[in-house]
Amino acid sequence: MTTAHQAPDILSSTFAADPYAAYRIMRDEFPLIWHEPMQSYLISRYEDVERAFREPVFTSDNYDWQLEPVHGRTILQMSGREHSVRRALVAPAFRGRTLDEQFLPVIERNARELIDGFRASGSADLVADFATRFPVNVIADMLGLDKSDFEKFHGWYTSIIAFLGNLSQDAEVAEAGLRTREEFAAYMLPIIRERRENPGGDLLSTLCRAEVEGTRMSDEDIKAFCSLLLAAGGETTDKAIASIFKNLLAHPEQLSAVRADRGLIPRAFAETLRYSPPVHMIMRQPSEDVTLSGGVVPAGSTITCLIGAANRDGQRYADPETFDIFREDLATTTAFSAAADHLAFALGRHFCVGALLAKAEVEAGVGQLLDAMPDLRLQEGFTPAEQGVFTRGPDALPVEFTPAV
């Protein structure tokens, strides 16, 4: 005899404690749910989320109210030629020779500087001491900003992420996010204007000079993109690095394999993006009525695409609840491109422009951490736990190790 389930509530404490149990019920029994408090339809099956990311009928018009209040207008809200031109203006900085030659040294230096802070101590919290700081420091450094301002960037990053994940509409969180937009603009706009007058070799100067088909980015365009980069670039890498180590520590044989062959780091990253993605939900808005598993979604509705559920869909992956860096149904060669087999970076025209930057950060950060911690182990008696609903990752990861000579 089977027990009938109620549709899970993604704002409940039960869901926050273990969303994956709820995801199984949603995929199997409630693939389309209208969630009244969020005023959104929830979809959880891989085939539906993939469609929502790939097909043009699913627009990003929802970002007008979801992202614009805290970032300003970004490439995520754009479509058609406006989107393609703006993306062409920023994308070259995050791939190929520019990434390898100009920014990889920045990434490696920032990883080394943070690790130097605990290298000789024999213990660290990989979340507080490394993961939450590393990508934010990298982004600020890439932009050519003063290191003394990195703490401000970390504070803004934290506030923006809280705003974007404020599904319960907490007034104080919303107010702090709106305040961050004003503070960030007051800080960035004078620097952007100065960089136009005195360009250098940094990312900010590159954005100021970039031109495609006669179009250049305005000061406001650049400021909004930097805000988006801070949030999206920081959160993905922050949560991913912590989750990679959480997953590997739970699977010692896979940790040993990665330690012996650093070429497996991209596999560990790709499987972590599938198994425990940093971003669990992305919203879309259909421009016409669409039929999905479970029913019809009216035009203009908000659809919440549950990436964390879709990435564990048994119709797409073999043994989906198992973390396995050697799985054959997840191609590492395409895992950081718009042809990825997982959905953690979205797909299609709004595929994450910073995916290769995240890959470079993960390879450098994880590699250097493994070098510094040859016998890495969890602090005795500690059980890792994840937190977050919109984005999710370990809230702490205290480890011990014998300092490398």
Side-chain angles (χ1 to χ4, degrees):
M1 178 177 177
T2 59
T3 301
H5 294 108
Q6 287 187 330
D9 178 5
I10 68 172
L11 298 184
S12 69
S13 58
T14 301
F15 182 91
D18 180 15
Y20 297 106
Y23 289 155
R24 287 192 290 272
I25 296 172
M26 295 167 81
R27 285 192 308 267
D28 293 344
E29 302 178 35
F30 305 98
L32 182 67
I33 299 173
W34 168 251
H35 193 273
E36 184 69 26
M38 288 177 56
Q39 291 291 292
S40 176
Y41 288 92
L42 313 180
I43 60 174
S44 50
R45 291 180 178 173
Y46 186 97
E47 62 175 342
D48 292 329
V49 176
E50 182 185 36
R51 279 189 60 200
F53 288 158
R54 287 196 186 278
E55 296 182 8
V57 67
F58 297 92
T59 75
S60 60
D61 291 348
N62 54 284
Y63 286 148
D64 291 348
W65 57 263
Q66 188 183 11
L67 298 186
E68 191 160 342
V70 71
H71 288 313
R73 183 169 167 77
T74 73
I75 58 174
L76 294 181
Q77 289 106 290
M78 300 174 187
S79 59
R81 182 182 180 278
E82 182 186 28
H83 173 265
S84 61
V85 170
R86 289 300 191 283
R87 190 176 179 97
L89 284 166
V90 301
F94 299 97
R95 65 187 183 212
R97 179 176 296 180
T98 301
L99 179 58
D100 292 341
E101 296 182 2
Q102 185 174 352
F103 296 130
L104 186 56
V106 173
I107 293 168
E108 292 174 337
R109 180 177 68 248
N110 277 280
R112 185 168 57 252
E113 289 174 352
L114 284 171
I115 293 170
D116 283 347
F118 55 80
R119 188 187 301 273
S121 68
S123 65
D125 181 344
L126 293 184
V127 174
D129 296 334
F130 189 84
T132 64
R133 300 283 174 175
F134 175 49
V136 177
N137 288 5
V138 166
I139 290 167
D141 209 353
M142 288 173 65
L143 292 170
L145 303 178
D146 192 317
K147 282 188 178 294
S148 64
D149 292 331
F150 283 14
E151 195 64 32
K152 291 180 183 177
F153 260 67
H154 188 267
W156 288 328
Y157 158 69
T158 302
S159 179
I160 291 170
I161 293 302
F163 179 92
L164 298 178
N166 187 22
L167 301 180
S168 62
Q169 299 300 303
D170 182 285
E172 291 186 5
V173 172
E175 183 179 343
L178 297 176
R179 189 167 58 247
T180 290
R181 174 175 173 171
E182 296 177 0
E183 293 174 358
F184 190 76
Y187 173 87
M188 285 299 303
L189 289 173
I191 296 176
I192 292 168
R193 289 191 285 269
E194 188 278 332
R195 213 59 60 89
R196 287 197 190 276
E197 296 294 326
N198 301 287
D202 54 81
L203 175 59
L204 203 53
S205 297
T206 299
L207 296 175
C208 288
R209 290 191 298 261
E211 182 173 341
V212 172
E213 298 180 9
T215 298
R216 300 181 69 178
M217 298 175 74
S218 69
D219 292 357
E220 180 63 28
D221 288 338
I222 295 173
K223 184 275 298 180
F225 179 75
C226 290
S227 179
L228 176 65
L229 177 63
L230 177 64
E235 187 72 351
T236 301
T237 309
D238 167 356
K239 297 289 192 293
I241 290 176
S243 293
I244 287 170
F245 277 98
K246 174 180 177 291
N247 293 334
L248 290 176
L249 285 163
H251 300 83
E253 72 290 349
Q254 296 185 54
L255 174 59
S256 296
V258 174
R259 185 181 294 284
D261 179 4
R262 303 303 170 81
L264 293 176
I265 293 176
R267 277 185 171 270
F269 186 19
E271 175 64 349
T272 292
L273 290 172
R274 184 202 68 81
Y275 180 77
S276 50
V279 179
H280 271 233
M281 55 187 71
I282 291 177
M283 294 179 179
R284 289 289 186 263
Q285 184 174 313
S287 59
E288 59 187 57
D289 292 358
V290 291
T291 301
L292 298 169
S293 300
V296 176
V297 176
S301 303
T302 299
I303 296 177
T304 299
C305 306
L306 297 176
I307 296 169
N311 273 353
R312 292 197 185 189
D313 190 336
Q315 297 300 310
R316 175 61 184 80
Y317 302 103
D319 198 12
E321 303 291 336
T322 298
F323 178 81
D324 179 10
I325 65 173
F326 299 107
R327 66 169 52 250
E328 296 181 354
D329 49 9
L330 186 68
T332 309
T333 53
T334 58
F336 312 101
S337 74
D341 296 325
H342 62 82
L343 303 172
F345 286 133
L347 296 170
R349 65 195 183 284
H350 285 298
F351 175 79
C352 177
V353 72
L356 291 178
L357 171 63
K359 178 175 181 286
E361 290 176 311
V362 165
E363 289 179 341
V366 171
Q368 288 195 37
L369 285 166
L370 290 174
D371 289 341
M373 302 182 294
D375 55 353
L376 172 70
R377 57 196 179 274
L378 278 172
Q379 185 181 85
E380 187 174 353
F382 180 81
T383 301
E386 295 181 347
Q387 67 175 4
V389 176
F390 181 75
T391 62
R392 189 171 180 85
D395 56 356
L397 203 63
V399 296
E400 299 172 341
F401 56 93
T402 302
V405 178

